[in-house]
Amino acid sequence: MNFLRGVMGGQPTGPQPTGAETIQKLCDRVASSTLLEDRRDAVRALKSLSKKYRLEVGTMAMDHLVQILQTDRSDTEILGYALDTLYNVVCNEEEEEQGKLNM
């Protein structure tokens, strides 16, 4: 019956995962995936969450992102996602916007 609700557009019955749970699952995918495409998709998802959940991504994914930079350096796409994610975690856009306004 739950399958039919999902297909027909009914309300989900279970609780939705939190941001931290989603980030943890993505970190597990980055760490355990043997296929580059799977790791790339997980890092892309981390990048999309990194602005809203800066602290969570920074604390849970930092080691995995550094590992990606070391092991997958031949793939420029995953490197770009990892660097963008690190940038989103480290840089504060509010400070940058205020700096531009003060100029």
Side-chain angles (χ1 to χ4, degrees):
M1 188 59 118
N2 288 336
F3 174 75
L4 291 176
R5 284 188 193 138
V7 172
M8 303 300 273
Q11 295 292 331
T13 57
Q16 296 295 319
T18 65
E21 291 171 340
T22 302
I23 293 165
Q24 185 59 51
K25 288 179 184 179
L26 291 170
C27 288
D28 292 343
R29 278 182 55 196
V30 170
S32 64
S33 294
T34 56
L35 295 175
L36 177 63
E37 292 81 19
D38 291 340
R39 287 193 306 277
R40 187 184 301 133
D41 290 341
V43 174
R44 182 184 307 126
L46 284 170
K47 176 189 168 197
S48 68
L49 294 172
S50 63
K51 287 186 179 182
K52 185 174 181 181
Y53 298 103
R54 280 180 53 188
L55 180 63
E56 292 86 349
V57 171
T59 56
M60 289 188 252
M62 188 69 68
D63 291 335
H64 300 293
L65 294 170
V66 171
Q67 185 68 26
I68 288 292
L69 293 175
Q70 294 172 344
T71 59
D72 293 324
R73 60 180 161 236
S74 63
D75 183 62
T76 57
E77 191 174 357
I78 196 170
L79 288 179
Y81 293 142
L83 290 172
D84 287 342
T85 305
L86 291 170
Y87 177 83
N88 291 340
V89 168
V90 173
C91 293
N92 188 355
E93 287 186 10
E94 292 174 6
E95 290 177 3
E96 290 176 7
E97 288 176 10
Q98 288 177 355
K100 289 178 184 176
L101 292 176
N102 291 335
M103 290 184 166

